[in-house]
Amino acid sequence: MGRAIRWLFRLLLLAVLAVAGGTFIPRPLFAPAEAVGEAVGSRRILVLSNPIHTDIAVPLDDETRAAFSFLGRAGIPLAAPDAEWLIFGWGGRAFYLETPHWADLKPMPVLRALTLDSSVLHVDIAGHIPEQHPAVQLFDISAGEFTALLGFIAGSFERQGGEVTPIADAAYGVTDRFFEAKGYFNALFGCNTWTAAALRTAGIRTGVWNPVPETLKLSLALYN
């Protein structure tokens, strides 16, 4: 029994060190130099979080409507008059599709999320988002960084014949859809590490490994 407790303690210590290192070691290690001629802070994006998941919100304007016109063809109401933001989240297929609310939590999606699952992208629109809300972090980035972010997100969709693949009858409401995505989901590299990778393409520094929203939020606050 004593030996088992010692091994459990070591595993817990290793997990704590991994999370701490992933949070407090920045990625990239040094802040990137500002691009010459770029207007700093010309575009604003938001990171939205809940206890287990993060999303990225980009302003819904002519540029983003053009960049994601394929989503309009797939049923996302990009032209809705009250829409101000386009929201993207990446995650494990089973957990994301089958757990719209905590009351819907079931053992099998949790098991798939902890082991290995295929991935999906969730896309929705939103009206006004209060930027002072504690679940919202805002970042002002250059036009070039914004374009790079849009490219990363667009490149995360799985395509067939050049078009994205909506998942039939999969949505939380009337304005959102789920789409097949590239990559595989597991407990170590999941929705929050995808968010972090996307943000890094936009010149935003994260921790070297941010598997949960709180560590990502802390890294973002520390290094940006």
Side-chain angles (χ1 to χ4, degrees):
M1 178 64 73
R3 187 173 183 179
I5 292 174
R6 286 195 298 272
W7 273 107
L8 179 60
F9 176 78
R10 290 169 184 167
L11 289 173
L12 290 174
L13 180 61
L14 182 61
V16 169
L17 291 174
V19 171
T23 303
F24 294 109
I25 299 173
R27 183 177 180 185
L29 190 59
F30 300 104
E34 293 179 2
V36 177
E38 282 277 22
V40 177
S42 63
R43 303 305 306 267
R44 174 161 292 184
I45 65 169
L46 307 178
V47 176
L48 315 177
S49 62
N50 64 35
I52 62 171
H53 180 77
T54 50
D55 289 316
I56 296 174
V58 299
L60 192 51
D61 56 18
D62 290 343
E63 180 180 359
T64 49
R65 285 187 176 94
F68 295 105
S69 58
F70 57 86
L71 293 177
R73 296 192 296 272
I76 299 296
L78 300 180
D82 57 346
E84 298 181 24
W85 298 93
L86 187 57
I87 302 173
F88 298 93
W90 183 95
R93 185 186 184 97
F95 192 89
Y96 222 163
L97 294 182
E98 298 181 37
T99 317
H101 307 288
W102 285 112
D104 302 307
L105 190 65
K106 297 185 284 289
M108 187 53 66
V110 173
L111 179 62
R112 294 288 298 272
L114 291 174
T115 53
L116 187 67
D117 196 5
S118 57
S119 63
V120 296
L121 272 160
H122 182 240
V123 183
D124 201 358
I125 59 170
H128 175 70
I129 297 177
E131 295 180 354
Q132 302 306 315
H133 192 282
V136 178
Q137 288 177 286
L138 60 92
F139 300 92
D140 294 322
I141 59 179
S142 71
E145 291 166 339
F146 185 74
T147 299
L149 174 63
L150 299 188
F152 179 94
I153 295 172
S156 296
F157 287 88
E158 190 68 64
R159 296 173 186 262
Q160 293 184 356
E163 291 292 332
V164 295
T165 308
I167 299 172
D169 302 319
Y172 292 160
V174 297
T175 62
D176 70 305
R177 295 293 298 271
F178 283 93
F179 298 85
E180 301 289 357
K182 294 179 180 178
Y184 289 90
F185 179 99
N186 60 58
L188 298 179
F189 298 98
C191 54
N192 303 299
T193 58
W194 178 88
T195 298
L199 295 174
R200 288 193 295 271
T201 67
I204 298 170
R205 299 170 79 197
T206 69
V208 70
W209 179 57
N210 295 122
V212 296
E214 288 305 317
T215 67
L216 178 57
K217 289 169 64 177
L218 179 56
S219 293
L220 292 172
L222 285 173
Y223 303 123
N224 300 279

